Amino acid sequence: MAIENKSTVAYVGTDAVAEAMRQINPDVVAAYPITPQTAIVETFSTMAANGLVDTEMVNVESEHSAMSATIGASASGSRAMTCTSSQGLGLMWETLYIASGLRLPIVMPNVNRALSAPINIHCDHSDSMGARDSGWIQLFSENAQEAYDNTIQAIKIAENSNVYLPVMVLLDGFIISHAIERMELLEDNKVKDFVGEVNTPYSLLDPNNPVTVGSFDGLYGYYFEFKKQQEEAMKNSFSVIKEVGEDFGKLSGRSYEFFETEYMEDAEFGFLVLGSAAGTVRHHVKCLRENGIPAGMIKLRTYRPFPGKELVEATSHLKALAVMDRSDTFAGGMGGPVFMDLRSAYYDYDKKPLMTNYIYGLGGRDLSVELVQQATEEMQDIVRNGEVKQTVNYLGLKE
Amino acid sequence: MSTRLKDLSKKDEILKGGHRLCAGCGASIAVRQILKGLPDDVELVVSNPTGCLEVSTTIYPYTSWNCSYIHSAFENVASTLSGVESAYRSLKKQGKTDKDYRFVVFAGDGGTYDIGFQALSGALERNHRMVYVCYNNEAYMNTGIQRSGATLKGAWTTTSPHGEESYGKAENRKDLTSIVAAHDIPYVAQASISNWRDAVKKAQKAFEADGPAFINILSPCHRGWRYPMEQTVEVAKKAVETCAWPLYEVENGEYNLTGKVKEKKPVEEYLKMQGRFAHLFKKEENKEVLDSIQQYIDEKWERIKYLAGEE
Ligand SMILES: Cc1ncc(C[n+]2csc(CCOP(=O)(O)OP(=O)(O)O)c2C)c(N)n1
Ligand code: SF4
């Protein structure tokens, strides 16, 4: 299909996100700077200062207030966004649950960064993994292009009446946020039409329908039912994420699914990976294939909701599967969060690959091709011997 | 605008009956007095942080609020309403609404002096047009009478109990009204539910202010202060008469004493009405504490008079 009038640019990830936000033109953006997210707030503030958007900027005094003000704005029937990283997301923790519990379609890019202590500004996924059970949809991006594409799609997913859940768009700190990449932008009016008019479930500013938002559930007890409804909405979001991904493909030539597979059909062993590390793993898997080694990979985009069944279907024919986690759960030897989720998804199935977990890249530690090769050799051993010697492995630790 | 009782009584009540605040609670009196100052023909959004007023008026599936209302958490009422007010400005600028809205917070002293202070200060600095009302009952009542930054020295609370080594809360309260005034916002006032006309007038000014306005209104709680529930207004009145709670306003930086005190009464008259100070009168050595409370109140009163250009 021919896609007309696309423009190709060289952008850093933060500019890609800011550009998506400009095209979305939210009514309110409340935000607070934190490395490596800062450039998004700065660039977007400049756009607002130049009148390129209709947005009211609220330069709050903390991330707790950033999410609180975004909640107030979204509950007022406006399209409201914020963005953050690391400690900022940590400070928002309490209010993340309020945003999802009030069913507010807020969209928030989070530039993944390690959590203190020790203080570390570089990439890992521990910040967003800490928020994985807060009722937010989480979409991971491999590069600036995907961060841009996901941000636009997130609006449409969040504001779907069968969903009404907040969406977090994840991009790896510095690796995506600060590296210049070639990417394609859509035209302004195409994005405008795609996201459409704002759609929130209710508004404080509708004079004919006053609402009480955030009531106290202390006496009659409906909390449980509300939480069940959130889980239903999360289930509904599967088909919405799929449809929006397809529609986006018609618009841009880049369609999106829950995950992407490479060489998986006839693979003997495979890697499951999230975020920017997918590039390195893909490159390596391609080299392995060129040497006749039957490797494959899956890049997981939709981490919440978790497409467990689909992942099982895509990997159950493997002899061995390595799950790559850029964060730990400190559960005492159980491995990283993605590994635990996928192992759990496999429980009901008889046919399953031998599984290992590679925890890598914490605090920005580089994932080199050599390290992926090290993991490859271990995977080949597992295939050969039919047993896993060590389930949870820390890849690239200093001796 | 009129502050005649006859006219005010005709105004619609926005906080409806049927809420679950204790009988004799100062908070509902404060809310009703302040909302009597709302101009006619405006739309209203109310916000509460977590606290007695919030849990008693929004028990799902019921609500006592005959207007739009939002509660999000304990420490973020000012930032939540900042977002609402910003959405309003955005939609108004884009021609998506032509209504005239007012935004008001009713927050306890805990949600204002302590945990919510950062959000409050930020919202004031950013100049959001909202009326922030602290219904001040000088402790965390919703969680069972714990000390707050607004609790008067010497008071018993469950986290500042008196005992062999303690006479109750050891510290003076912080002067939040002055701290708020230091933000140079258009309107700041201290009010008391005992002086309703004064409170309504202050509310009227606050709702007209072109920017943030703050009212700290003394709203006694008989559960926490330990007095018979029918004495709420009398206790508040005594706070004003002893100058333990001076009534004043700061209008565009100008200090003005509002409730004139003809003859300042000793603070003991106020303290003796309340069980939370009863221990101070039982031990001889607590005389010193009583003196220091009196001294604190005198100093604050002299300062306010000076700022207001009196004497
Ligand atoms: C982050 C957080 N910490 C603590 C609490 C528990 N809590 C709820 S209400 C409250 C005290 C409220 O006191 P105040 O603001 O003075 O209002 P009042 O109940 O006296 O009307 C506390 C400590 C909470 N809800 N959230
Ligand atoms: S405990 Fe005190 S503040 Fe709370 S409702 Fe009862 S009287 Fe009012």
Side-chain angles (χ1 to χ4, degrees), chain B:
Chain B
M1 234 186 299
S2 167
T3 51
R4 283 170 54 207
L5 203 49
K6 207 169 137 223
D7 299 332
L8 293 178
S9 67
K10 285 187 202 135
K11 290 190 78 159
D12 218 11
E13 293 287 351
I14 292 164
L15 177 65
K16 296 290 183 189
H19 57 70
R20 312 296 177 82
L21 288 157
C22 302
C25 174
S28 61
I29 305 175
V31 171
R32 292 173 63 206
Q33 287 179 0
I34 298 294
L35 291 180
K36 291 289 179 199
L38 191 71
D40 295 330
D41 304 321
V42 296
E43 303 293 337
L44 178 68
V45 181
V46 166
S47 191
N48 284 167
T50 316
C52 268
L53 182 65
E54 172 258 333
V55 300
S56 308
T57 57
T58 68
I59 301 171
Y60 189 83
Y62 305 108
T63 182
S64 302
W65 296 96
N66 193 22
C67 65
S68 279
Y69 171 97
I70 182 167
H71 158 261
S72 81
F74 185 26
E75 63 287 291
N76 64 352
V77 68
S79 36
T80 304
L81 209 62
S82 292
V84 175
E85 192 261 355
S86 300
Y88 170 64
R89 270 187 291 125
S90 179
L91 299 181
K92 191 140 195 194
K93 204 171 65 186
Q94 297 176 60
K96 292 180 180 169
T97 179
D98 55 2
K99 299 282 175 197
D100 191 6
Y101 267 93
R102 293 293 186 281
F103 304 95
V104 57
V105 165
F106 291 106
D109 46 290
T112 306
Y113 283 61
D114 298 341
I115 200 168
F117 179 63
Q118 174 185 312
L120 169 63
S121 179
L124 299 178
E125 185 265 333
R126 292 189 305 270
N127 218 29
H128 294 283
R129 188 177 179 189
M130 63 169 77
V131 176
Y132 190 111
V133 180
C134 173
Y135 67 94
N136 189 343
N137 53 31
E138 296 193 350
Y140 305 154
M141 297 312 179
N142 181 46
T143 39
I145 323 170
Q146 293 86 28
R147 81 180 292 279
S148 83
T151 308
L152 200 58
K153 182 178 178 178
W156 160 89
T157 70
T158 58
T159 49
S160 63
H162 53 84
E164 286 305 316
E165 301 292 329
S166 162
Y167 55 80
K169 194 193 176 203
E171 309 83 13
N172 281 320
R173 67 180 169 215
K174 70 169 115 160
D175 183 357
L176 189 79
T177 314
S178 294
I179 298 169
V180 169
H183 287 74
D184 295 331
I185 59 171
Y187 190 77
V188 179
Q190 222 166 252
S192 165
I193 57 147
S194 56
N195 293 45
W196 63 266
R197 194 191 300 273
D198 178 69
V200 173
K201 268 194 205 155
K202 286 172 176 165
Q204 287 171 343
K205 288 186 184 180
F207 282 117
E208 290 310 328
D210 187 17
F214 178 86
I215 300 176
N216 197 346
I217 182 165
L218 191 71
S219 313
C221 157
H222 58 83
R223 296 294 310 126
W225 294 18
R226 307 274 154 182
Y227 61 80
M229 64 162 120
E230 63 278 9
Q231 285 178 18
T232 295
V233 177
E234 275 169 63
V235 172
K237 194 167 165 209
K238 196 63 89 183
V240 176
E241 289 171 353
T242 56
C243 299
W245 193 254
L247 302 186
Y248 66 98
E249 62 187 5
V250 191
E251 215 175 345
N252 299 313
E254 288 275 318
Y255 280 73
N256 178 22
L257 278 184
T258 57
K260 298 283 173 208
V261 179
K262 283 187 211 93
E263 202 185 324
K264 179 164 164 262
K265 295 186 172 153
V267 74
E268 284 190 13
E269 287 188 23
Y270 170 57
L271 304 183
K272 272 188 171 152
M273 294 177 85
Q274 308 168 51
R276 64 175 172 152
F277 297 109
H279 58 284
L280 295 180
F281 298 96
K282 285 184 188 144
K283 270 196 199 161
E284 188 51 41
E285 58 264 38
N286 283 338
K287 178 81 178 69
E288 246 174 65
V289 181
L290 287 168
D291 288 346
S292 75
I293 298 170
Q294 184 67 64
Q295 194 191 340
Y296 168 80
I297 281 164
D298 291 348
E299 282 170 12
K300 282 283 166 192
W301 175 240
E302 289 307 319
R303 182 167 176 273
I304 286 299
K305 281 202 298 187
Y306 169 76
L307 289 170
E310 308 258 335
E311 280 162 57

